[in-house]
Coordinates of all heavy atoms in Angstrom, one line a residue:
M8 N -29.5 -32.1 24.2 CA -30.0 -31.5 23.1 C -29.2 -30.2 22.6 O -29.1 -29.9 21.5 CB -31.4 -31.1 23.4 CG -32.2 -30.8 22.1 SD -32.4 -32.0 20.9 CE -33.9 -31.8 20.3
K9 N -28.7 -29.5 23.6 CA -27.9 -28.3 23.2 C -26.7 -28.7 22.5 O -26.3 -27.9 21.6 CB -27.4 -27.7 24.6 CG -28.6 -26.9 25.3 CD -28.1 -26.1 26.5 CE -29.3 -25.4 27.1 NZ -28.8 -24.6 28.3
K10 N -26.0 -29.8 22.7 CA -24.8 -30.1 22.0 C -25.1 -30.4 20.6 O -24.4 -30.0 19.7 CB -24.1 -31.4 22.7 CG -23.4 -31.0 23.9 CD -22.7 -32.3 24.5 CE -22.0 -31.9 25.8 NZ -21.2 -33.1 26.3
L11 N -26.2 -31.1 20.4 CA -26.6 -31.5 19.0 C -26.8 -30.2 18.2 O -26.4 -29.9 17.0 CB -27.8 -32.3 19.0 CG -28.4 -32.7 17.6 CD1 -27.3 -33.4 16.9 CD2 -29.7 -33.5 17.8
A12 N -27.7 -29.2 18.9 CA -27.9 -27.9 18.1 C -26.6 -27.1 17.8 O -26.4 -26.6 16.8 CB -28.8 -27.1 19.0
A13 N -25.7 -27.3 18.8 CA -24.4 -26.5 18.6 C -23.7 -27.1 17.5 O -23.1 -26.4 16.6 CB -23.6 -26.4 19.9
A14 N -23.7 -28.4 17.4 CA -22.9 -29.1 16.4 C -23.6 -28.8 14.9 O -22.8 -28.7 14.1 CB -23.0 -30.7 16.6
T15 N -24.9 -28.7 14.9 CA -25.5 -28.4 13.6 C -25.2 -27.0 13.1 O -24.8 -26.8 12.0 CB -27.2 -28.5 13.8 OG1 -27.3 -29.9 14.3 CG2 -27.7 -28.3 12.6
T16 N -25.1 -26.0 14.2 CA -24.9 -24.6 13.7 C -23.3 -24.6 13.3 O -23.1 -24.0 12.3 CB -25.0 -23.7 14.9 OG1 -26.4 -23.8 15.5 CG2 -24.8 -22.3 14.6
T17 N -22.5 -25.2 13.9 CA -21.0 -25.2 13.5 C -20.8 -25.8 12.2 O -20.0 -25.3 11.5 CB -20.2 -25.9 14.6 OG1 -20.5 -25.3 15.8 CG2 -18.8 -25.8 14.4
A18 N -21.5 -26.9 11.9 CA -21.3 -27.6 10.7 C -21.7 -26.9 9.5 O -21.2 -26.9 8.4 CB -22.1 -29.0 10.8
T19 N -22.8 -26.1 9.7 CA -23.2 -25.1 8.6 C -22.5 -23.8 8.5 O -22.8 -23.2 7.4 CB -24.8 -25.0 8.7 OG1 -25.1 -24.4 9.8 CG2 -25.5 -26.3 8.6
S20 N -21.8 -23.4 9.5 CA -21.1 -22.3 9.4 C -19.9 -22.2 8.6 O -19.1 -23.3 8.5 CB -20.7 -21.8 10.8 OG -21.8 -21.6 11.6
P21 N -19.5 -21.1 7.8 CA -18.3 -21.1 7.0 C -17.1 -21.2 7.9 O -17.3 -20.6 9.1 CB -18.5 -19.8 6.3 CG -19.3 -19.0 6.9 CD -20.4 -19.9 7.6
K22 N -16.0 -21.6 7.4 CA -14.8 -21.6 8.2 C -14.3 -20.1 8.5 O -14.4 -19.3 7.6 CB -13.7 -22.3 7.6 CG -13.8 -23.8 7.6 CD -12.5 -24.5 7.1 CE -12.5 -25.9 7.6 NZ -11.2 -26.6 7.0
K23 N -13.8 -19.9 9.6 CA -13.3 -18.6 10.0 C -11.9 -18.4 9.3 O -11.1 -19.4 9.3 CB -13.1 -18.5 11.4 CG -12.7 -17.1 11.9 CD -12.7 -17.0 13.4 CE -12.1 -15.6 13.8 NZ -11.9 -15.5 15.2
L24 N -11.7 -17.3 8.7 CA -10.3 -17.0 8.0 C -9.2 -16.9 9.1 O -9.5 -16.2 10.1 CB -10.3 -15.8 7.1 CG -11.2 -15.9 5.8 CD1 -11.2 -14.6 5.1 CD2 -10.5 -16.9 5.0
P25 N -8.1 -17.4 8.8 CA -6.9 -17.1 9.7 C -6.7 -15.7 9.9 O -6.8 -15.0 8.9 CB -5.8 -18.0 9.2 CG -6.3 -18.9 8.1 CD -7.6 -18.3 7.8
K26 N -6.1 -15.2 10.9 CA -5.9 -13.7 11.2 C -4.8 -13.3 10.2 O -4.8 -12.2 9.7 CB -5.6 -13.3 12.5 CG -4.2 -13.8 13.1 CD -4.0 -13.3 14.4 CE -2.8 -13.7 15.0 NZ -2.4 -13.1 16.3
K27 N -3.9 -14.2 9.8 CA -2.8 -13.8 8.7 C -3.5 -13.4 7.4 O -3.0 -12.6 6.8 CB -1.7 -14.8 8.7 CG -2.2 -16.1 8.0 CD -1.0 -17.1 7.8 CE -1.5 -18.4 7.3 NZ -0.5 -19.4 7.3
I28 N -4.6 -14.1 7.1 CA -5.3 -13.8 5.8 C -6.2 -12.6 5.9 O -6.1 -11.7 5.0 CB -6.1 -15.0 5.4 CG1 -5.3 -16.3 5.2 CG2 -6.9 -14.7 4.1 CD1 -4.0 -16.1 4.2
I29 N -6.8 -12.4 7.1 CA -7.6 -11.2 7.3 C -6.6 -9.9 7.3 O -6.8 -9.1 6.6 CB -8.2 -11.3 8.7 CG1 -9.3 -12.3 8.6 CG2 -8.8 -9.9 9.0 CD1 -9.8 -12.7 10.0
A30 N -5.4 -10.1 7.9 CA -4.4 -9.0 8.0 C -4.1 -8.7 6.6 O -3.8 -7.6 6.2 CB -3.2 -9.4 8.8
L31 N -3.6 -9.8 5.8 CA -3.2 -9.6 4.5 C -4.2 -9.0 3.5 O -3.7 -8.1 2.7 CB -2.8 -11.0 3.9 CG -1.7 -11.1 2.8 CD1 -0.6 -10.1 3.0 CD2 -1.3 -12.4 2.5
K32 N -5.4 -9.2 3.7 CA -6.4 -8.6 2.9 C -6.4 -7.0 3.2 O -6.6 -6.3 2.3 CB -7.9 -9.2 3.2 CG -8.1 -10.5 2.6 CD -9.5 -10.9 2.8 CE -9.8 -12.2 1.9 NZ -11.2 -12.4 2.0
Y33 N -6.3 -6.7 4.4 CA -6.3 -5.2 4.7 C -5.0 -4.6 4.1 O -5.0 -3.5 3.7 CB -6.4 -5.1 6.3 CG -7.7 -5.0 6.7 CD1 -8.2 -6.0 7.6 CD2 -8.7 -4.0 6.5 CE1 -9.6 -6.1 8.1 CE2 -10.0 -4.1 6.9 CZ -10.4 -5.0 7.7 OH -11.7 -5.1 8.2
L34 N -3.9 -5.4 4.4 CA -2.4 -4.9 3.9 C -2.5 -4.8 2.4 O -1.6 -4.0 1.9 CB -1.4 -5.8 4.4 CG -1.2 -5.5 5.9 CD1 -0.5 -6.6 6.6 CD2 -0.5 -4.2 6.2
M35 N -3.3 -5.4 1.6 CA -3.3 -5.2 0.2 C -3.9 -3.9 -0.1 O -3.6 -3.5 -1.2 CB -4.2 -6.4 -0.4 CG -3.6 -7.8 -0.4 SD -2.2 -8.0 -1.5 CE -3.2 -8.2 -3.1
L36 N -4.8 -3.3 0.7 CA -5.5 -2.1 0.6 C -4.7 -0.9 1.1 O -4.9 0.3 0.7 CB -6.8 -2.1 1.0 CG -7.6 -3.3 0.4 CD1 -9.0 -3.4 1.1 CD2 -7.8 -3.0 -1.1
R37 N -4.0 -1.1 2.3 CA -3.5 0.0 3.1 C -2.3 -0.4 4.0 O -2.1 -1.7 4.2 CB -4.6 0.6 3.9 CG -5.2 -0.5 4.9 CD -6.2 0.0 5.8 NE -5.4 0.7 6.9 CZ -5.9 1.5 7.7 NH1 -7.3 1.5 7.9 NH2 -5.3 2.2 8.6
S38 N -1.6 0.6 4.4 CA -0.5 0.2 5.4 C -1.2 0.2 6.8 O -2.4 0.7 6.9 CB 0.5 1.4 5.4 OG 0.1 2.5 5.8
M39 N -0.5 -0.3 7.8 CA -1.2 -0.5 9.2 C -0.1 -0.5 10.2 O 1.0 -0.8 10.1 CB -1.9 -1.8 9.3 CG -3.3 -1.8 8.9 SD -4.3 -3.2 9.5 CE -3.4 -4.6 8.7
I40 N -0.6 0.0 11.4 CA 0.2 0.1 12.6 C -0.8 -0.8 13.6 O -2.0 -0.9 13.3 CB 0.5 1.4 13.3 CG1 -0.7 2.3 13.5 CG2 1.5 1.9 12.4 CD1 -0.3 3.5 14.3
Q41 N -0.2 -1.3 14.7 CA -0.9 -2.2 15.7 C -2.3 -1.6 16.1 O -3.4 -2.3 16.0 CB -0.1 -2.3 16.9 CG -0.8 -3.2 18.0 CD -1.2 -4.5 17.5 OE1 -0.5 -5.3 17.1 NE2 -2.5 -4.8 17.6
P42 N -2.4 -0.3 16.6 CA -3.8 0.3 17.0 C -4.8 0.1 15.8 O -5.9 -0.1 16.1 CB -3.5 1.6 17.4 CG -2.1 1.7 17.8 CD -1.4 0.7 16.8
E43 N -4.4 0.4 14.6 CA -5.4 0.2 13.5 C -5.8 -1.2 13.3 O -7.0 -1.3 13.0 CB -4.6 1.0 12.1 CG -4.3 2.5 12.3 CD -3.4 2.8 11.2 OE1 -2.8 2.0 10.5 OE2 -3.3 4.1 11.1
A44 N -4.9 -2.1 13.2 CA -5.3 -3.4 13.1 C -6.2 -3.9 14.2 O -7.2 -4.6 13.9 CB -4.0 -4.3 13.1
H45 N -6.0 -3.4 15.4 CA -6.9 -3.8 16.6 C -8.3 -3.3 16.3 O -9.3 -3.9 16.5 CB -6.4 -3.3 17.8 CG -7.1 -3.8 19.0 ND1 -8.1 -3.2 19.6 CD2 -6.9 -5.0 19.8 CE1 -8.6 -4.0 20.5 NE2 -7.9 -4.9 20.7
E46 N -8.3 -2.0 15.9 CA -9.6 -1.4 15.6 C -10.4 -2.0 14.3 O -11.5 -2.3 14.3 CB -9.4 0.2 15.4 CG -10.7 0.9 15.0 CD -10.4 2.4 14.9 OE1 -9.6 3.0 15.7 OE2 -11.1 2.9 14.1
L47 N -9.6 -2.5 13.4 CA -10.2 -3.0 12.2 C -10.7 -4.5 12.4 O -11.7 -4.7 11.9 CB -9.2 -3.0 11.1 CG -8.9 -1.6 10.3 CD1 -7.7 -1.7 9.4 CD2 -10.1 -1.1 9.6
Y48 N -9.8 -5.2 12.9 CA -10.4 -6.7 13.1 C -10.0 -7.3 14.3 O -9.8 -8.6 14.4 CB -9.9 -7.4 11.8 CG -8.3 -7.5 11.7 CD1 -7.6 -8.6 12.1 CD2 -7.5 -6.6 11.1 CE1 -6.3 -8.7 11.9 CE2 -6.3 -6.6 10.9 CZ -5.6 -7.7 11.3 OH -4.2 -7.7 11.1
G49 N -9.5 -6.7 15.3 CA -9.2 -7.2 16.7 C -7.8 -7.8 16.8 O -7.5 -8.5 17.7
E50 N -6.9 -7.5 16.0 CA -5.5 -7.9 16.1 C -4.8 -7.5 17.2 O -4.9 -6.2 17.5 CB -4.8 -7.5 14.8 CG -3.4 -7.7 14.7 CD -2.9 -9.3 14.5 OE1 -3.3 -9.7 13.4 OE2 -2.7 -9.9 15.5
T51 N -4.2 -8.2 18.0 CA -3.4 -7.9 19.1 C -1.9 -8.0 19.1 O -1.2 -7.5 19.8 CB -3.9 -8.7 20.4 OG1 -3.7 -10.1 20.1 CG2 -5.3 -8.3 20.8
C52 N -1.4 -8.7 18.0 CA 0.0 -8.9 17.8 C 0.3 -8.9 16.3 O 0.7 -9.8 15.7 CB 0.4 -10.3 18.3 SG 0.2 -10.5 20.1
L53 N 0.1 -7.6 15.8 CA 0.4 -7.5 14.3 C 1.8 -7.8 14.0 O 2.1 -8.5 12.8 CB 0.1 -6.0 14.0 CG 0.3 -5.6 12.4 CD1 -0.7 -6.5 11.6 CD2 0.1 -4.2 12.2
H54 N 2.8 -7.6 14.9 CA 4.1 -7.8 14.5 C 4.3 -9.3 14.3 O 5.2 -9.8 13.6 CB 5.2 -7.3 15.7 CG 4.9 -7.9 17.1 ND1 3.8 -7.5 17.8 CD2 5.6 -8.8 17.7 CE1 4.0 -8.0 19.0 NE2 5.0 -8.9 18.9
T55 N 3.7 -10.2 15.1 CA 3.8 -11.5 15.1 C 3.1 -12.1 13.8 O 3.6 -12.9 13.0 CB 3.1 -12.3 16.2 OG1 3.7 -11.8 17.4 CG2 3.3 -13.8 16.0
T56 N 2.0 -11.5 13.4 CA 1.4 -11.8 12.1 C 2.3 -11.5 10.9 O 2.5 -12.3 9.9 CB 0.0 -11.1 11.9 OG1 -0.7 -11.6 13.1 CG2 -0.7 -11.5 10.6
I57 N 2.9 -10.3 10.9 CA 3.8 -9.9 9.8 C 5.1 -10.8 9.9 O 5.5 -11.2 8.7 CB 4.3 -8.4 10.1 CG1 3.2 -7.5 10.0 CG2 5.4 -8.1 9.2 CD1 2.4 -7.3 8.6
S58 N 5.4 -11.2 11.0 CA 6.6 -12.1 11.0 C 6.3 -13.5 10.4 O 7.0 -14.1 9.6 CB 7.1 -12.4 12.5 OG 8.2 -13.3 12.6
T59 N 5.1 -13.9 10.7 CA 4.6 -15.3 10.0 C 4.4 -15.1 8.6 O 4.9 -16.0 7.9 CB 3.2 -15.6 10.6 OG1 3.4 -15.9 12.0 CG2 2.7 -16.9 10.1
L60 N 4.0 -14.1 8.1 CA 3.8 -13.9 6.7 C 5.1 -13.8 5.9 O 5.4 -14.4 4.9 CB 3.0 -12.6 6.4 CG 1.6 -12.6 6.7 CD1 0.9 -11.3 6.6 CD2 0.8 -13.7 5.8
W61 N 6.1 -13.1 6.6 CA 7.5 -13.0 6.1 C 8.3 -14.4 6.1 O 8.7 -15.0 5.1 CB 8.2 -11.9 6.7 CG 9.8 -12.1 6.4 CD1 10.8 -12.4 7.3 CD2 10.4 -11.8 5.0 NE1 11.9 -12.4 6.6 CE2 11.8 -12.0 5.2 CE3 10.0 -11.4 3.9 CZ2 12.7 -11.9 4.2 CZ3 10.9 -11.3 2.9 CH2 12.2 -11.5 3.0
N62 N 8.3 -15.0 7.4 CA 9.2 -16.2 7.5 C 8.6 -17.4 6.9 O 9.2 -18.3 6.3 CB 9.3 -16.5 8.9 CG 10.3 -15.3 9.5 OD1 11.2 -14.9 8.9 ND2 9.9 -14.9 10.8
D63 N 7.1 -17.5 7.0 CA 6.5 -18.8 6.4 C 6.1 -18.7 5.0 O 5.8 -19.7 4.3 CB 5.3 -19.2 7.3 CG 5.7 -19.6 8.7 OD1 6.9 -19.7 8.9 OD2 4.8 -19.7 9.6
H64 N 5.9 -17.4 4.4 CA 5.2 -17.3 3.2 C 6.1 -16.4 2.3 O 5.6 -16.2 1.0 CB 3.8 -16.8 3.2 CG 3.0 -17.7 4.2 ND1 2.5 -18.9 3.6 CD2 2.5 -17.5 5.3 CE1 1.8 -19.5 4.6 NE2 1.7 -18.6 5.7
G65 N 7.1 -15.8 2.7 CA 8.0 -15.0 1.9 C 7.4 -13.6 1.4 O 7.8 -13.1 0.3
I66 N 6.5 -13.1 2.3 CA 5.8 -11.9 1.8 C 6.5 -10.8 2.6 O 6.5 -10.8 3.8 CB 4.2 -11.9 2.1 CG1 3.6 -13.0 1.3 CG2 3.7 -10.6 1.9 CD1 2.3 -13.4 1.7
A67 N 7.1 -9.8 1.8 CA 7.8 -8.9 2.5 C 7.1 -7.4 2.7 O 6.1 -7.1 1.9 CB 9.1 -8.4 1.5
F68 N 7.5 -6.7 3.7 CA 6.9 -5.5 4.1 C 8.0 -4.4 4.3 O 9.1 -4.7 4.8 CB 6.0 -5.6 5.3 CG 4.9 -6.7 5.3 CD1 5.2 -7.9 5.5 CD2 3.7 -6.3 4.9 CE1 4.2 -8.9 5.4 CE2 2.7 -7.2 4.6 CZ 2.9 -8.4 4.9
E69 N 7.6 -3.2 4.0 CA 8.4 -2.0 4.3 C 8.1 -1.7 5.9 O 6.8 -1.8 6.2 CB 8.0 -0.8 3.5 CG 8.8 0.4 3.9 CD 8.4 1.6 3.1 OE1 7.8 1.4 2.0 OE2 8.7 2.7 3.5
R70 N 9.0 -1.5 6.6 CA 8.7 -1.1 8.0 C 9.2 0.3 8.4 O 10.4 0.6 8.1 CB 9.4 -2.1 9.0 CG 8.9 -3.5 8.9 CD 9.9 -4.5 9.5 NE 9.3 -5.8 9.7 CZ 9.3 -6.7 8.8 NH1 9.9 -6.5 7.5 NH2 8.8 -8.0 8.9
V71 N 8.3 1.1 9.0 CA 8.6 2.5 9.2 C 8.2 2.8 10.7 O 7.0 2.6 11.0 CB 8.1 3.6 8.3 CG1 8.3 5.0 8.7 CG2 8.5 3.2 6.9
A72 N 9.1 3.3 11.6 CA 8.6 3.6 13.0 C 7.9 4.9 13.0 O 8.3 5.8 12.2 CB 10.0 3.7 13.8
E73 N 6.9 4.9 13.8 CA 6.2 6.3 13.9 C 5.6 6.4 15.3 O 5.4 5.4 16.0 CB 5.0 6.4 12.9 CG 3.8 5.4 13.0 CD 2.9 5.7 11.9 OE1 3.1 5.7 10.8 OE2 1.7 6.0 12.3
T74 N 5.3 7.6 15.7 CA 4.6 7.8 17.0 C 3.0 7.8 16.7 O 2.6 8.3 15.8 CB 5.2 9.0 17.7 OG1 4.9 10.2 16.9 CG2 6.6 8.9 18.1
Y75 N 2.4 7.5 17.8 CA 0.8 7.4 17.8 C 0.3 7.7 19.0 O 0.7 7.4 20.0 CB 0.6 6.0 17.3 CG -1.0 5.7 17.1 CD1 -1.6 6.1 15.9 CD2 -1.6 5.2 18.2 CE1 -3.1 5.9 15.8 CE2 -3.0 4.9 18.1 CZ -3.7 5.3 16.9 OH -5.0 5.1 16.9
G76 N -0.8 8.4 19.0 CA -1.6 8.7 20.3 C -1.1 9.8 21.0 O 0.0 10.5 20.8
K77 N -1.8 10.2 22.1 CA -1.5 11.3 23.0 C -0.3 11.1 23.7 O 0.3 12.1 24.2 CB -2.7 11.7 23.7 CG -3.1 10.7 24.9 CD -4.3 11.1 25.7 CE -4.5 10.3 26.8 NZ -5.6 10.8 27.7
F78 N 0.2 9.9 24.0 CA 1.3 9.7 24.6 C 2.6 9.3 23.8 O 3.7 9.0 24.2 CB 1.2 8.5 25.6 CG 0.3 8.7 26.6 CD1 -1.1 8.2 26.6 CD2 0.3 9.6 27.7 CE1 -2.1 8.3 27.6 CE2 -0.7 10.0 28.6 CZ -1.9 9.3 28.5
D79 N 2.4 9.6 22.4 CA 3.5 9.4 21.5 C 4.1 8.0 21.6 O 5.4 7.8 21.6 CB 4.6 10.5 21.7 CG 4.2 11.9 21.2 OD1 3.2 11.9 20.3 OD2 4.6 12.9 21.7
S80 N 3.2 7.0 21.7 CA 3.7 5.6 21.8 C 4.4 5.3 20.3 O 3.9 5.8 19.4 CB 2.6 4.7 21.9 OG 1.9 4.9 23.1
R81 N 5.4 4.5 20.3 CA 6.1 4.0 19.2 C 5.5 2.8 18.6 O 5.3 1.8 19.4 CB 7.6 3.9 19.5 CG 8.2 5.2 19.9 CD 8.6 6.1 18.9 NE 9.5 5.6 18.0 CZ 9.9 6.2 16.9 NH1 9.4 7.4 16.6 NH2 10.9 5.7 16.2
F82 N 5.2 2.7 17.3 CA 4.7 1.5 16.6 C 5.5 1.6 15.3 O 5.9 2.6 14.8 CB 3.2 1.8 16.3 CG 2.4 1.6 17.6 CD1 1.9 2.7 18.3 CD2 2.0 0.3 18.1 CE1 1.1 2.5 19.4 CE2 1.3 0.2 19.2 CZ 0.8 1.3 19.9
T83 N 5.3 0.3 14.7 CA 5.9 0.2 13.4 C 4.8 0.2 12.4 O 3.8 -0.5 12.5 CB 6.7 -1.1 13.3 OG1 7.8 -1.1 14.2 CG2 7.3 -1.4 11.9
R84 N 4.8 0.9 11.2 CA 3.9 0.9 10.2 C 4.4 -0.1 9.1 O 5.5 0.1 8.6 CB 3.7 2.4 9.6 CG 2.6 2.2 8.5 CD 2.1 3.5 8.0 NE 1.4 4.3 9.1 CZ 0.2 4.1 9.5 NH1 -0.6 3.1 8.8 NH2 -0.4 4.7 10.4
Y85 N 3.6 -1.0 8.9 CA 3.8 -2.1 7.8 C 3.1 -1.8 6.6 O 2.0 -1.5 6.6 CB 3.4 -3.4 8.3 CG 4.1 -3.8 9.7 CD1 3.4 -3.7 11.0 CD2 5.4 -4.3 9.7 CE1 4.0 -4.1 12.1 CE2 6.0 -4.7 10.8 CZ 5.3 -4.5 12.1 OH 6.0 -4.8 13.2
T86 N 3.9 -1.8 5.4 CA 3.4 -1.6 4.1 C 3.8 -2.8 3.3 O 4.9 -3.0 3.3 CB 3.8 -0.3 3.6 OG1 3.6 0.8 4.4 CG2 3.2 0.0 2.2
L87 N 2.9 -3.4 2.5 CA 3.2 -4.5 1.7 C 4.1 -4.0 0.5 O 3.7 -2.9 0.0 CB 1.9 -5.1 1.2 CG 2.0 -6.3 0.3 CD1 2.5 -7.6 1.0 CD2 0.6 -6.7 -0.3
I88 N 5.2 -4.6 0.3 CA 6.1 -4.3 -0.9 C 5.4 -4.7 -2.1 O 4.9 -5.9 -2.1 CB 7.4 -4.9 -0.5 CG1 8.2 -4.3 0.7 CG2 8.3 -4.8 -1.9 CD1 9.4 -4.8 1.0
E89 N 5.6 -3.8 -3.1 CA 4.9 -4.2 -4.3 C 5.4 -5.5 -4.9 O 4.4 -6.2 -5.5 CB 5.3 -3.0 -5.3 CG 4.5 -3.0 -6.7 CD 2.9 -2.7 -6.4 OE1 2.6 -1.8 -5.5 OE2 2.1 -3.3 -7.0
A90 N 6.5 -5.8 -4.8 CA 7.1 -7.1 -5.3 C 6.4 -8.3 -4.7 O 6.5 -9.4 -5.3 CB 8.5 -7.2 -5.2
S91 N 5.8 -8.2 -3.6 CA 5.2 -9.2 -2.8 C 3.7 -9.3 -3.1 O 2.9 -10.2 -2.6 CB 5.5 -9.1 -1.3 OG 6.8 -9.4 -0.9
R92 N 3.1 -8.5 -3.8 CA 1.6 -8.5 -4.0 C 1.1 -9.7 -4.6 O 0.2 -10.2 -4.2 CB 1.2 -7.2 -4.8 CG 1.2 -5.9 -4.0 CD 0.6 -4.8 -4.7 NE 0.4 -3.7 -3.9 CZ -0.5 -3.5 -2.9 NH1 -1.5 -4.5 -2.8 NH2 -0.6 -2.5 -2.1
E93 N 1.8 -10.1 -5.7 CA 1.3 -11.3 -6.4 C 1.3 -12.6 -5.4 O 0.3 -13.4 -5.4 CB 2.2 -11.7 -7.6 CG 1.8 -12.9 -8.5 CD 2.5 -13.1 -9.7 OE1 3.3 -12.1 -10.1 OE2 2.5 -14.2 -10.2
R94 N 2.4 -12.7 -4.6 CA 2.4 -13.8 -3.6 C 1.3 -13.6 -2.6 O 0.8 -14.7 -2.2 CB 3.8 -13.8 -3.0 CG 4.0 -15.0 -2.0 CD 3.9 -16.3 -2.6 NE 3.8 -17.4 -1.4 CZ 2.7 -18.0 -1.3 NH1 1.8 -18.1 -2.1 NH2 2.9 -18.9 -0.3
A95 N 1.2 -12.4 -2.2 CA 0.0 -12.2 -1.2 C -1.4 -12.6 -1.8 O -2.1 -13.2 -1.1 CB 0.1 -10.8 -0.7
D96 N -1.5 -12.2 -3.0 CA -2.8 -12.6 -3.6 C -3.0 -14.1 -3.8 O -4.0 -14.5 -3.5 CB -2.8 -11.8 -5.0 CG -4.3 -11.9 -5.6 OD1 -5.2 -11.6 -4.8 OD2 -4.4 -12.0 -6.9
Q97 N -1.9 -14.7 -4.1 CA -2.0 -16.2 -4.2 C -2.3 -16.9 -2.8 O -3.1 -17.8 -2.7 CB -0.6 -16.7 -4.8 CG -0.2 -16.5 -6.0 CD 1.1 -16.8 -6.5 OE1 1.9 -17.2 -5.5 NE2 1.5 -16.8 -7.8
L98 N -1.7 -16.4 -1.8 CA -1.9 -16.9 -0.4 C -3.3 -16.6 -0.1 O -4.1 -17.5 0.4 CB -1.0 -16.3 0.7 CG -1.1 -16.8 2.0 CD1 -0.8 -18.3 2.0 CD2 -0.2 -16.1 2.9
I99 N -3.9 -15.4 -0.3 CA -5.3 -15.2 -0.1 C -6.2 -16.1 -0.8 O -7.2 -16.5 -0.3 CB -5.5 -13.6 -0.3 CG1 -4.9 -12.8 0.7 CG2 -7.1 -13.3 -0.3 CD1 -4.9 -11.2 0.3
S100 N -6.0 -16.3 -2.0 CA -6.8 -17.1 -2.8 C -6.8 -18.6 -2.4 O -7.9 -19.3 -2.6 CB -6.4 -17.0 -4.3 OG -5.2 -17.7 -4.5
T101 N -5.8 -19.0 -1.7 CA -5.8 -20.4 -1.2 C -6.8 -20.6 0.0 O -7.3 -21.7 0.3 CB -4.5 -20.9 -0.6 OG1 -4.0 -20.1 0.4 CG2 -3.4 -21.0 -1.9
Y102 N -7.1 -19.5 0.7 CA -8.1 -19.5 1.8 C -9.5 -19.0 1.4 O -10.3 -19.1 2.3 CB -7.5 -18.8 3.0 CG -6.4 -19.4 3.6 CD1 -5.1 -19.1 3.3 CD2 -6.6 -20.2 4.7 CE1 -4.0 -19.8 4.0 CE2 -5.6 -20.8 5.4 CZ -4.3 -20.5 5.0 OH -3.2 -21.1 5.6
T103 N -9.6 -18.4 0.3 CA -10.9 -17.8 -0.1 C -11.6 -18.6 -1.1 O -11.0 -19.1 -2.1 CB -10.7 -16.5 -0.8 OG1 -9.8 -15.7 0.0 CG2 -12.0 -15.8 -1.1
P104 N -12.9 -19.1 -0.7 CA -13.5 -20.1 -1.6 C -13.8 -19.4 -2.9 O -14.2 -18.3 -3.0 CB -14.8 -20.3 -0.8 CG -15.0 -19.2 0.2 CD -13.6 -18.8 0.5
T105 N -13.9 -20.2 -3.9 CA -14.1 -19.7 -5.3 C -15.6 -20.2 -5.7 O -16.0 -21.3 -5.3 CB -13.2 -20.1 -6.3 OG1 -13.0 -21.4 -6.3 CG2 -11.8 -19.4 -6.1
D106 N -16.4 -19.4 -6.4 CA -17.6 -19.9 -6.8 C -17.6 -20.6 -8.2 O -17.4 -20.0 -9.2 CB -18.7 -18.6 -6.9 CG -20.1 -19.0 -7.2 OD1 -20.3 -20.3 -7.1 OD2 -20.8 -18.1 -7.5
K107 N -17.5 -21.9 -8.2 CA -17.3 -22.8 -9.3 C -18.7 -22.9 -10.1 O -18.6 -23.2 -11.2 CB -16.9 -24.1 -8.9 CG -15.4 -24.1 -8.3 CD -14.8 -25.3 -8.0 CE -13.4 -25.3 -7.5 NZ -13.0 -26.6 -7.1
A108 N -19.7 -22.5 -9.6 CA -21.1 -22.6 -10.3 C -21.2 -21.5 -11.2 O -22.0 -21.6 -12.1 CB -22.3 -22.6 -9.2
A109 N -20.6 -20.4 -11.0 CA -20.7 -19.2 -11.9 C -20.2 -19.4 -13.2 O -19.2 -20.2 -13.5 CB -20.2 -18.0 -11.3

């Protein structure tokens, strides 16, 4: 009985967005470093997500090294390049359901 209930719950739940899309939605609004991404949505490998967006989807980012925290840890701050905004928006829209009834 538990398996049936779990299957019913899963079938009615909306699909979870891929982390590259979640990251891109945030990057459309702001720049980010790894600790900020982790705090915002649980990202543990921001550099890998950025690499995927660049290599697989052609979305470019400005990269600036900075120190962070009380131990002056080094992180890279990623900022979406203006020329990639349209492509980023297109990619997000492929994963975001549209309301066709409206």
